Amino acid sequence: MKETFYVTTPIYYPSGRFHIGTAYTTVLADSLKRLNKLKGKDCYMLTGTDEHGQKIETVAEKNGLKPQEYVDKMADMAKELWKKMDIQYDNFIRTTDEKHEKIVQKIFQIFLEKGDIYKGEYEGLYCIPCETYFTKTQLIDGKCPDCGREVVPMKEEAYFFNMKKYADKLLKYYDEHPDFIKPEFRKNEMINNFIKPGLEDLCVTRTSFDWGIKVPSDPKHVIYVWLDALTNYLTALGYLSDDDSLFKKYWPANVQVIGKDIARFHLIYWPIFLIALDLPLPDHIVVHNWIMMKDGKMSKSKGNVIYPETLIDRYGLDATKYFLLREMPIAQDGIFSPEAFIERYNFDLCNDLSNLLNRTVSMVNKYFQGKVEGYTGCINDVDKELEEYCKTQIDKFNESIDNFEIANSLQEIWNLISRTNKYIDETSPWILAKNNETGKLKSCIYHLIENLRKIAILIKPFMNETAENILNQIGINSEDLKTWESLNYYDKIKDIKVIEKGEPIFMRLNPEEEVEYLKESMKA
RNA sequence: CGCGGGGUGGAGCAGUUGGCAGCUCGCAGGGCUCAUAACCCUGAGGUCGUAAGUUCGAGUCUUACCCCCGCAACCA
């Protein structure tokens, strides 16, 4: 049986239009799925929407809709965006799915019976008009961060999950699985800020609104966000349902991708729920940082919000994905700026990659009527060095990927692209042609084509269309020459014919015009 | 003294175990013509936040101080 790979995104809260950060998380997960699929694994990717809660109730009302009507609309919006972005998810879970709701109730009952959940009182600072609790640190000048009005101390009956009971087990797990949390400093953040000072129990129900899953044994309570939301990763696979074959096949998850805003919930509460359910924990939880703007956080009031559609519609999906994956380090905030986007596009995609393909295809046509017969070995040290460099870069790529450093792994691919461009100057094929040094010329062309083939395979998980385009232009049709495994050999291309007139896969953009365009679109 | 991350040529960043300070962009000069004002080469530019210490030798270790950022409990 094939090795399985289960990757998840968070379920997104559809209280508004998805911005580029949401797209980034999803692209990251999708890329990991595609990579592992290419490596031959049996993959399953989950995404979805988190549709309950106070805020949804409020936003729906503002739009003159019932909560269910509103979330139906938003789930469609999400699916449409993921379609546009060619996200290959296998399941889209909605927390309003009846199947999900039933299992959440079941899980709640299990915890209740085990004594992990108990009834208590939730106390906090409450904004009456907003019907929301806030903590002291959330307040702005001591007032409600949403509406600016006074908050009052309130309490209500609520159920709590006994987190304290599991704190030691969680620490032990962290300790025994150093790769569980990526990057590692997030783990220390959790330990120092929350666990070491003494974990507080988590409130898992509310009575102040009812757009949520009811507690079966006490229906005036609805299950509050985290127990409902986090368990989606299990319910989506049919955990505790009549058909749990997917769960048996794919659990535990290999990688769960999240943003830093929900780190605490995924790094503390989620593993504890799993421990309490006596289930194995995921291999890795990858916490990525945020996409910031030059002037700080994206916000509508600053007029600096960039939506994925803006970039995709004008520059294409692959360019958009490339920028996100290349520019956003996992462990630091990345910065989006129109200038940076256009620079990446022109330098990396046009000058380096597209140009390499273009000049190579042109030479094969010019010197050999578009034909490449086969491998003729290494004619000289330059060839040999190039082959070795290629191998090294693939190793480096793998190393970075294993650490979820996607930006670095792309960097390694681009180093290979640059090295290949340099190889053309080192071998000067136009001189070889002039001097009728056919043997050397053949070897040079073969090496260029072979490197392009490898480059295409390496970028395929991140830029599928571009990869296919490259392979098509250099005439690689055989599926055997498109596999991940085929990165291991150098000599298998035989009797291919490149496209007669290669179209540039990326065309240079006018920086001034495009920066202007992006700035305008961000204001709107 | 809450915990953690960081301060490296004009900008953005790499720098595993201490051993001649690198990358991308920008700038200056050159090369080539297969390709896109592209591609390739060379050069200028840094007392690696400040001060002291350990060491034959520190961006890399220790201590103190200055500055920036993240986290700090129910916010998806």
Side-chain angles (χ1 to χ4, degrees):
Chain A
M1 211 174 80
K2 274 205 237 176
E3 196 179 337
T4 60
F5 183 82
Y6 177 36
V7 59
T8 68
T9 75
I11 43 174
Y12 304 110
Y13 201 66
S15 58
R17 192 175 164 191
F18 287 0
H19 60 65
I20 194 112
T22 313
Y24 171 59
T25 310
T26 311
V27 163
L28 199 55
D30 180 61
S31 298
L32 290 171
K33 180 194 163 177
R34 286 168 182 270
L35 175 68
N36 281 280
K37 200 173 167 194
L38 192 55
K39 286 183 174 177
K41 291 183 195 169
D42 176 342
C43 296
Y44 195 88
M45 172 176 167
L46 174 69
T47 189
T49 41
D50 178 15
E51 304 185 346
H52 290 126
Q54 177 68 52
K55 219 172 184 171
I56 292 291
E57 218 173 30
T58 312
V59 177
E61 204 177 317
K62 218 184 278 176
N63 284 278
L65 296 170
K66 287 184 180 144
Q68 189 62 52
E69 291 168 347
Y70 175 79
V71 296
D72 285 350
K73 217 179 89 186
M74 294 308 279
D76 285 345
M77 176 215 66
K79 285 178 184 168
E80 209 170 293
L81 177 61
W82 302 149
K83 192 175 169 195
K84 192 181 183 82
M85 299 194 70
D86 195 19
I87 301 297
Q88 299 193 334
Y89 59 84
D90 297 275
N91 191 354
F92 188 103
I93 188 167
R94 302 178 53 184
T95 52
T96 53
D97 290 342
E98 200 190 327
K99 209 178 107 185
H100 171 79
E101 295 192 343
K102 273 191 178 155
I103 300 171
V104 171
Q105 288 179 327
K106 238 186 223 180
I107 292 172
F108 191 94
Q109 286 307 122
I110 291 173
F111 286 153
L112 202 59
E113 278 157 29
K114 277 183 73 180
D116 287 342
I117 283 179
Y118 62 90
K119 201 186 255 188
E121 265 184 346
Y122 180 73
E123 276 181 80
L125 297 161
Y126 192 73
C127 174
I128 298 167
C130 296
E131 300 179 2
T132 310
Y133 282 96
F134 295 102
T135 60
K136 241 187 273 171
T137 49
Q138 282 175 269
L139 301 180
I140 296 168
D141 298 328
K143 307 216 164 112
C144 171
D146 287 349
C147 67
R149 281 179 276 206
E150 295 289 338
V151 293
V152 291
M154 284 260 290
K155 54 170 113 174
E156 66 178 59
E157 183 185 283
Y159 286 89
F160 285 84
F161 187 97
N162 188 347
M163 290 289 164
K164 290 182 202 83
K165 180 174 160 190
Y166 293 99
D168 286 343
K169 279 185 184 158
L170 181 63
L171 283 174
K172 187 161 173 271
Y173 190 86
Y174 281 174
D175 203 45
E176 287 168 356
H177 301 82
D179 288 333
F180 176 49
I181 296 170
K182 291 280 179 185
E184 204 184 349
F185 73 87
R186 293 287 171 204
K187 174 169 81 183
N188 298 329
E189 222 168 68
M190 294 305 131
I191 295 174
N192 291 324
N193 287 325
F194 304 108
I195 304 178
K196 235 163 50 185
L199 208 49
E200 285 176 22
D201 290 345
L202 180 75
C203 172
V204 290
T205 66
R206 283 294 155 85
T207 54
S208 54
F209 60 88
D210 39 56
W211 180 240
I213 303 171
K214 300 223 173 340
V215 173
S217 57
D218 197 350
K220 73 170 186 283
H221 289 264
V222 295
I223 295 171
Y224 184 62
V225 56
W226 293 108
L227 192 67
D228 174 10
L230 290 166
T231 48
N232 90 85
Y233 303 124
L234 303 172
T235 64
L237 297 181
Y239 174 63
L240 296 183
S241 75
D242 296 338
D243 178 6
D244 64 353
S245 56
L246 285 173
F247 180 77
K248 283 192 174 124
K249 183 169 176 188
Y250 290 109
W251 193 259
N254 297 77
V255 183
Q256 302 201 266
V257 181
I258 61 165
K260 67 174 178 179
D261 48 332
I262 47 175
R264 189 173 90 238
F265 308 101
H266 281 79
L267 302 182
I268 296 177
Y269 305 139
W270 171 229
I272 285 180
F273 286 154
L274 288 171
I275 294 170
L277 288 169
D278 209 15
L279 291 173
L281 272 53
D283 294 344
H284 308 288
I285 296 180
V286 178
V287 185
H288 68 72
N289 271 31
W290 280 347
I291 297 170
M292 308 294 276
M293 308 310 270
K294 270 193 186 136
D295 50 353
K297 231 168 124 171
M298 255 188 278
S299 77
K300 281 181 194 148
S301 55
K302 277 188 196 160
N304 66 358
V305 182
I306 186 86
Y307 292 101
E309 293 93 337
T310 308
L311 297 173
I312 296 166
D313 288 343
R314 195 162 175 99
Y315 308 107
L317 176 59
D318 281 1
T320 305
K321 288 186 0 180
Y322 176 74
F323 181 84
L324 292 175
L325 294 168
R326 176 67 179 76
E327 199 72 2
M328 305 302 148
I330 295 289
Q332 289 171 43
D333 286 335
I335 295 188
F336 176 89
S337 75
E339 291 85 356
F341 185 88
I342 302 302
E343 276 173 22
R344 284 269 169 237
Y345 191 99
N346 276 345
F347 296 138
D348 296 3
L349 299 179
C350 302
N351 295 354
D352 294 339
L353 178 59
S354 178
N355 188 37
L356 173 64
L357 173 68
N358 213 14
R359 62 202 300 218
T360 300
V361 166
S362 158
M363 284 191 283
V364 184
N365 278 312
K366 197 158 189 169
Y367 303 140
F368 296 112
Q369 294 78 50
K371 287 179 199 150
V372 178
E373 286 166 12
Y375 187 61
T376 55
C378 290
I379 294 282
N380 49 37
D381 288 350
V382 187
D383 292 358
K384 207 172 158 205
E385 202 198 310
L386 186 74
E387 288 187 21
E388 273 160 16
Y389 189 87
C390 209
K391 201 170 173 325
T392 309
Q393 288 317 106
I394 293 168
D395 290 345
K396 284 187 180 169
F397 171 92
N398 282 321
E399 221 172 278
S400 293
I401 279 290
D402 289 344
N403 256 324
F404 303 101
E405 288 162 346
I406 313 290
N408 287 351
S409 58
L410 285 173
Q411 167 85 66
E412 300 302 352
I413 301 173
W414 255 257
N415 286 344
L416 178 60
I417 293 170
S418 291
R419 183 64 189 81
T420 310
N421 267 318
K422 184 175 166 173
Y423 173 81
I424 297 180
D425 278 74
E426 286 175 335
T427 50
S428 317
W430 49 92
I431 293 178
L432 298 176
K434 209 159 76 183
N435 296 342
N436 288 318
E437 296 187 75
T438 313
K440 280 188 185 166
L441 191 54
K442 272 189 179 164
S443 175
C444 167
I445 295 298
Y446 185 92
H447 281 83
L448 288 176
I449 291 288
E450 171 63 6
N451 271 23
L452 274 168
R453 184 185 73 85
K454 287 193 157 82
I455 289 161
I457 293 168
L458 287 167
I459 66 172
K460 199 167 158 54
F462 315 101
M463 308 168 80
N464 184 55
E465 198 189 332
T466 302
E468 288 295 346
N469 203 335
I470 294 172
L471 291 168
N472 180 46
Q473 289 205 24
I474 61 174
I476 301 288
N477 303 316
S478 153
E479 289 304 315
D480 287 348
L481 290 172
K482 296 183 182 180
T483 63
W484 194 257
E485 214 249 319
S486 77
L487 288 170
N488 293 323
Y489 42 78
Y490 210 99
D491 56 355
K492 297 282 194 289
I493 297 177
K494 223 170 157 41
D495 297 323
I496 56 161
K497 188 162 186 322
V498 303
I499 199 165
E500 263 172 54
K501 182 80 190 89
E503 284 296 314
I505 47 177
F506 294 101
M507 290 286 266
R508 269 182 84 83
L509 303 169
N510 178 321
E512 291 80 27
E513 272 174 30
E514 299 308 323
V515 166
E516 188 54 34
Y517 174 84
L518 285 175
K519 282 188 175 158
E520 279 305 311
S521 76
M522 283 157 70
K523 279 185 210 153

